[in-house]
Amino acid sequence: MRKILLALIGAACAITALAAQGDPQPTCKMCPGTYIPKAEVDAYVNKAIAEKLTDQQVRDVEIGKAHIGIGVVHRGKLAAPAPESVAEHDQVSEVYHIIEGTATLMLGPDITAMKRRPATLETVRLFNGPGNNGSSIRNGVSYDLKAGDVVVIPAGTGHWFTKIDDHITYLMVRIDPDKVTPLKDEAASRAYLQKPAR
């Protein structure tokens, strides 16, 4: 009997909590969906290789409570990490989906010798917002990445490629709840792909 009574009280609490929420509405009312064809992603990879680019923003989309950025990154061979190459973003989280290649990536929140990235950098202004670089990660955890792997990097977490075997190419999803990055639509993406790098 006591179990039944506790179950009924729990159900009543759940119903009360749902009723208190009212009638939830979409957080992005009447927002369109966004489609990015493989051919467009491939065009970004080809542009990265031809013009020796690393990070490119394909889209930056309004989803109501946040912006979502879609980037394509291509990095060449790396025998040892460059100085002060640990990256950290204050407000933007990132998800990597590895398309091809292999590399070692270290993650961790305890970054040594942090130095603010200039606000004028293209990556800060357009891709991942304000943040820092550092010289290493204390007690970081290393992951050997390969095609198909997924990595989630919360805002404030250091990420550091310590080795890239030949190259690595990955799709990046940037989660920007504070909307610090500007929107970029399909027309802007097309225009970007048609122009050579600066």
Side-chain angles (χ1 to χ4, degrees):
M1 184 65 157
R2 187 167 193 273
K3 284 184 181 178
I4 294 172
L5 184 59
L6 289 174
L8 288 173
I9 290 170
C13 288
I15 290 168
T16 303
L18 285 173
Q21 291 176 4
D23 184 19
Q25 296 297 309
T27 58
C28 198
K29 196 166 181 86
M30 301 303 289
C31 291
T34 298
Y35 167 71
I36 303 169
K38 181 181 183 300
E40 188 173 351
V41 173
D42 290 345
Y44 274 87
V45 174
N46 293 337
K47 186 176 180 74
I49 293 167
E51 299 177 19
K52 297 184 177 16
L53 302 170
T54 300
D55 193 350
Q56 303 172 88
Q57 193 86 321
V58 179
R59 295 279 199 291
D60 209 313
V61 180
E62 171 69 46
I63 63 163
K65 290 187 176 183
H67 287 176
I68 295 292
I70 304 297
V72 172
V73 180
H74 177 82
R75 296 177 183 273
K77 183 177 178 65
L78 179 71
E84 299 181 346
S85 58
V86 175
E88 173 273 336
H89 314 303
D90 297 339
Q91 296 161 282
V92 176
S93 298
E94 296 178 328
V95 179
Y96 298 176
H97 180 250
I98 311 305
I99 297 171
E100 63 176 29
T102 55
T104 303
L105 178 71
M106 182 179 286
L107 300 176
D110 192 359
I111 303 164
T112 62
M114 284 210 305
K115 196 189 254 183
R116 202 78 177 146
R117 276 196 301 281
T120 54
L121 284 180
E122 181 182 57
T123 53
V124 172
R125 290 183 301 104
L126 304 179
F127 301 170
N128 46 41
N132 297 284
N133 283 93
S135 60
S136 65
I137 300 174
R138 281 187 209 94
N139 303 312
V141 179
S142 289
Y143 299 93
D144 292 325
L145 306 182
K146 63 191 177 312
D149 288 349
V150 175
V151 181
V152 177
I153 305 170
T157 297
H159 41 294
W160 190 27
F161 280 99
T162 56
K163 181 182 175 203
I164 300 173
D165 297 310
D166 177 70
H167 72 281
I168 191 162
T169 304
Y170 52 99
L171 188 74
M172 183 184 306
V173 178
R174 293 181 165 116
I175 303 153
D176 176 11
D178 298 302
K179 301 184 179 184
V180 296
T181 57
L183 298 175
K184 182 177 180 184
D185 63 11
E186 182 180 358
S189 176
R190 267 197 241 116
Y192 169 84
L193 285 170
Q194 290 170 0
K195 284 193 290 191
R198 302 174 209 101

